[in-house]
């Protein structure tokens, strides 16, 4: 792998661009509608005087089906690491559990921690119930449930781990504020579900509250994700920049794209400290592939974001304004075409030609775009904080058993070494022992919590081994354990529901 590139190196890279050297860009034509929309976009970028040198790579369905379960080969990685800029058409993930999502693999392998997804209303030229909508969703791109760590633990229960880190959260929250500052945005909203997930989503919200005061000119608010998503769907004009975690961001950005007029209009940038990837938010649309009817706009606007990223702002502005003028003049592919609006229904190729014919023009009714050359966003590398004083004060033992809470409690109590007390058994998170309710439905998956009798003492390995030995002798099927620790005296574990 090449030596890591620092943000300072990236700035140098942009200076080279100003000296008019063509910037190498790795290009993937993708699957389904990918090749037709990518061809159309490259034609527009070239005509719009983007100074790029394209390096095509093959990724996606053919690579998957040739036996590479990641959907990408060594040569493609080599090109990506070298050019550090990736323009990617959508790809098809074959059905079946053997194939990992290539998008997630690329985002995580290249450290593309920030996913930027703008959704804009183009009323009255693209019908939408939300004429004032102009929202940018900044989605954390590497963590959360997308860590993809899943296990089947019992006959009945499957688990997916949600991982949220402080450095990862600090980086994405800071990016959102820096983005808002660089782009003259007035407000940043945080979406989380910290009323339920107090540790993981709680951290996300807490970090947001810690960083917000560093940007006093920017208004902030926090929304619980469910009401936030509902409000976004009903009144998107109330939002400006939204920062959220991976899964929520994925869902709300599709909602935002759809209500802005068409999912075919939405671009997406995936930004890291070393590399960046630009793509449409939609997929490979196999239902319309090969028909020359797909909308290339999402991918083209992603191309515009790419030009801004590498400092070619004049070309970005020229192409974006020509695209706005094309929409205004009523040229639309089938997805945004409405006969009542006296639009002209055009093919993918004709749409690209219409944009090319308007290069140099500005929109008359929609707001023209203006890109600043130095609106560069730099976010420091994640900081490692001083370690906290960590003390193990108990252990959760997860057990697979077809039993009742009382029966299980008897077995577990008798297995406990002198220093530990069994304090709780929960089933799917809700306390069922002691004093459980007969109405609670129980699966075969139990969490059994032992705490140190003397909370000033720390649980040591020999005592844990004694416990495991006794549980083994009592034929308790242990599926996993979690250490219960305090950090500077604060519990690093949640209570059972009802505990
Ligand atoms: P999709 O986005 O491909 O299609 C959903 C609907 O939107 C379809 O009716 C389609 O015709 C329409 N549509 C999408 N893009 C359009 C465009 N540019 N112009 C006009 N209409 C458009 O979603 P899907 O059907 O759920 O997924 C199809 C494949 O794409 C799957 O294999 C999925 O894994 C993959 N996918 C890839 C990416 C990516 O590469 N970034 C993202 C999402 C889905």
């Amino acid at each position: 792998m090449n030596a890591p590139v620092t943000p300072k190196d990236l700035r140098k890279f942009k200076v080279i661009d100003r000296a008019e050297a063509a910037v190498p860009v790795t290009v993937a034509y993708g699957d389904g509608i990918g090749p037709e929309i990518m061809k159309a976009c490259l034609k527009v970028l070239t005509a719009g005087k983007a100074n790029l040198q394209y390096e095509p790579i093959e990724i996606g369905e053919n690579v998957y089906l040739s036996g590479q379960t990641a959907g990408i080969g060594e040569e493609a990685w080599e090109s990506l690491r070298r050019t550090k800029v990736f323009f990617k058409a959508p790809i098809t993930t074959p059905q079946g559990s053997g194939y990992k999502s290539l998008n997630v693999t690329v985002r995580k392998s290249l450290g593309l921690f920030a996913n930027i997804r703008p959704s804009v209303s183009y009323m009255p030229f693209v019908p939408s119930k939300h004429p004032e909508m102009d929202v940018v969703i900044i989605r954390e791109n590497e963590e959360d449930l997308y860590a993809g760590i899943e296990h089947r633990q019992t006959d009945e229960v499957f688990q997916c781990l949600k991982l949220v880190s402080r450095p990862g959260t600090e980086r994405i929250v800071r990016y959102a504020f820096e983005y808002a500052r660089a782009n003259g945005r007035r407000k940043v909203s945080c979406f989380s579900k910290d009323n339920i997930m107090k540790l993981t989503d709680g951290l996300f919200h807490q970090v947001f509250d810690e960083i917000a005061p560093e940007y006093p000119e920017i208004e902030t608010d926090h929304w619980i994700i469910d009401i936030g998503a509902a409000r976004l769907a009903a009144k998107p004009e109330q939002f400006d920049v939204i920062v959220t975690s991976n899964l929520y961001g994925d869902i709300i950005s599709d909602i935002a794209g759809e209500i802005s007029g068409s999912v075919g209009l939405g671009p997406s940038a995936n930004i890291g400290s070393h590399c960046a990837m630009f793509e449409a938010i939609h997929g490979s649309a196999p239902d319309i592939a090969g028909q020359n009817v797909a909308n290339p706009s999402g991918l083209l606007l992603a191309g515009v974001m790419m030009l801004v990223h590498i400092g070619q702002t004049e070309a970005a502005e020229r192409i974006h304004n020509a695209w706005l003028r094309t929409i205004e003049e009523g040229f639309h592919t089938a997805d945004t075409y409405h006969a009542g609006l006296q639009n002209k229904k055009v093919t993918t190729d004709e749409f690209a030609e219409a944009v090319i014919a308007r290069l140099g023009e500005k929109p008359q009714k929609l707001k023209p775009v203006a890109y600043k050359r130095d609106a560069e966003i730099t976010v420091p590398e994640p900081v490692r904080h001083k370690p906290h004083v960590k003390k193990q004060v108990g252990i959760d033992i997860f057990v697979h058993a077809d039993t009742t809470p009382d029966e299980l409690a008897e077995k577990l109590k008798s297995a406990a070494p002198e220093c530990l007390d069994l304090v709780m058994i929960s089933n799917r998170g809700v306390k069922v022992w002691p004093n459980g309710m007969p109405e609670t439905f129980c699966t075969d998956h139990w969490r059994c919590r032992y705490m140190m009798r003397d909370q000033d003492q720390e649980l040591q390995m020999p005592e844990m081994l004694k416990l495991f030995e006794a549980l083994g002798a009592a034929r308790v099927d242990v599926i996993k354990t979690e250490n219960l620790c305090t950090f500077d005296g604060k519990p690093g574990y949640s209570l059972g529901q009802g505990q």
Side-chain angles (χ1 to χ4, degrees):
M1 191 167 163
N2 294 347
V5 175
T6 65
K8 212 166 143 207
D9 292 329
L10 277 177
R11 275 197 289 278
K12 274 192 236 148
F13 168 70
K14 287 182 186 175
V15 174
I16 291 169
D17 156 55
R18 282 172 200 178
E20 301 301 316
V23 175
V25 169
T26 302
V27 171
Y29 283 79
D31 301 313
I33 58 170
E36 49 204 285
I37 57 172
M38 181 54 88
K39 234 173 64 217
C41 289
L42 294 187
K43 216 168 160 189
V44 178
L45 292 186
T46 304
K49 300 203 173 66
N51 194 10
L52 306 171
Q53 184 196 329
Y54 306 121
E55 273 195 31
I57 56 166
E58 191 170 2
I59 55 165
E61 202 169 18
N62 285 341
V63 182
Y64 279 120
L65 299 177
S66 74
Q68 307 215 38
T69 51
I72 179 163
E74 262 317 302
E75 270 181 36
W77 280 124
E78 192 281 319
S79 170
L80 286 173
R81 287 183 191 131
R82 187 163 30 74
T83 68
K84 306 184 195 313
V85 185
F86 188 16
F87 192 34
K88 178 185 148 296
I91 55 135
T92 301
T93 311
Q95 298 286 315
S97 57
Y99 303 104
K100 293 298 269 186
S101 162
L102 172 61
N103 292 314
V104 178
T105 305
V106 171
R107 285 172 198 154
K108 293 179 66 164
S109 304
L110 297 180
L112 309 181
F113 67 91
N115 186 194
I116 294 95
R117 295 183 165 195
S119 287
V120 181
S121 163
Y122 302 103
M123 276 285 281
F125 308 103
V126 179
S128 161
K129 290 187 186 125
H130 308 289
E132 304 296 324
M133 177 173 187
D134 180 2
V135 56
V136 179
I137 292 164
I138 297 194
R139 163 191 174 199
E140 196 290 317
N141 225 7
E142 298 180 293
E143 304 192 339
D144 190 20
L145 291 158
Y146 284 61
I149 305 173
E150 295 189 293
H151 297 96
R152 179 175 185 169
Q153 295 187 322
T154 68
D155 290 329
E156 294 176 344
V157 175
F158 298 70
Q159 172 191 269
C160 177
L161 286 184
K162 177 173 167 116
L163 297 180
V164 179
S165 76
R166 179 169 263 279
T169 307
E170 285 178 355
R171 196 148 72 143
I172 193 68
V173 168
R174 207 171 278 291
Y175 188 92
F177 279 104
E178 289 292 331
Y179 179 94
R181 187 174 266 175
N183 291 280
R185 299 263 174 178
R186 70 192 154 80
K187 181 168 141 189
V188 179
S189 305
C190 173
F191 281 20
S192 81
K193 186 78 183 172
D194 64 335
N195 55 333
I196 303 296
M197 285 159 279
K198 294 181 194 293
L199 293 188
T200 48
D201 281 31
L203 174 67
F204 202 92
H205 187 175
Q206 186 190 330
V207 167
F208 180 78
D209 285 348
E210 284 169 11
I211 290 178
E214 294 176 32
Y215 300 85
E217 78 280 17
I218 296 172
E219 197 188 319
T220 58
D221 57 11
H222 172 266
W223 294 76
I224 299 290
I225 180 71
D226 31 7
I227 185 61
R231 186 58 64 87
L232 174 67
K235 295 186 176 163
E237 64 282 0
Q238 287 188 354
F239 296 98
D240 194 356
V241 174
I242 297 173
V243 63
T244 190
S245 48
N246 208 335
L247 179 63
Y248 307 146
D250 199 7
I251 297 169
I252 64 167
S253 58
D254 266 29
I255 296 174
E258 190 70 16
I259 64 173
S260 75
S262 167
V263 75
L265 295 173
S268 156
N270 298 268
I271 307 287
S273 308
H274 311 298
C275 303
M277 172 170 86
F278 302 85
E279 57 182 344
I281 63 166
H282 60 74
S284 58
D287 52 333
I288 54 167
Q291 298 170 29
N292 195 20
V293 296
N295 192 342
S297 300
L299 189 60
L300 183 64
L301 295 177
V304 168
M305 291 174 92
M306 174 174 75
L307 292 176
V308 174
H309 177 77
I310 60 174
Q312 295 192 14
T313 45
E314 281 163 30
E317 210 170 288
R318 191 179 304 122
I319 293 166
H320 200 159
N321 281 327
W323 179 84
L324 289 165
R325 184 74 187 127
T326 307
I327 294 284
E328 250 184 24
E329 284 202 39
F331 292 87
H332 289 270
T333 45
D335 58 321
T336 55
Y337 169 75
H338 289 268
L341 293 178
Q342 302 196 325
N343 285 334
K344 300 170 202 65
K345 189 170 172 183
V346 292
T347 63
T348 309
D349 289 341
E350 287 165 348
F351 185 84
E353 290 302 337
V355 177
I356 291 169
R358 283 156 188 78
L359 287 166
E361 293 183 30
K362 289 206 166 148
Q364 307 292 307
K365 299 199 177 85
L366 293 166
K367 196 168 159 236
V369 292
Y371 290 114
K372 282 184 279 174
R373 215 164 206 210
D374 291 316
E376 185 186 341
I377 300 168
T378 39
V379 175
E381 288 295 306
V383 180
R384 288 257 130 70
H385 294 272
K386 217 171 82 219
H388 297 271
V389 177
K390 180 177 163 188
K391 189 170 134 199
Q392 188 175 352
V393 293
I395 188 163
D396 274 349
I397 307 270
F398 290 77
V399 168
H400 178 181
D402 185 9
T403 185
T404 64
D406 286 339
E407 260 174 34
L408 183 60
E410 281 317 304
K411 259 191 184 178
L412 293 167
K413 278 198 288 185
S414 61
E418 190 65 2
C419 64
L420 285 174
D421 284 326
L422 179 72
V423 297
M424 177 197 59
I425 300 176
S426 71
N427 196 291
R428 293 187 302 171
V430 67
K431 186 191 80 171
V432 292
W433 183 94
N435 309 321
M437 293 196 206
E439 290 85 358
T440 307
F441 174 75
C442 290
T443 66
D444 58 0
H445 181 277
W446 310 84
R447 174 183 54 162
C448 311
R449 175 161 292 180
Y450 291 99
M451 297 298 290
M452 288 298 283
R453 189 164 296 166
D454 178 353
Q455 283 283 298
D456 289 334
Q457 297 297 311
E458 197 160 358
L459 178 55
Q460 304 288 344
M461 188 55 83
E463 300 304 317
M464 282 201 270
L465 291 176
K466 265 191 219 160
L467 173 63
F468 292 135
E469 209 165 79
L471 290 170
R475 297 194 173 283
V476 175
D477 182 357
V478 174
I479 48 183
K480 76 159 191 171
T481 66
E482 289 282 355
N483 293 345
L484 304 177
C485 297
T486 56
F487 291 79
D488 291 343
K490 283 196 202 138
Y493 47 90
S494 58
L495 295 179
Q497 286 151 355
Q499 192 184 5

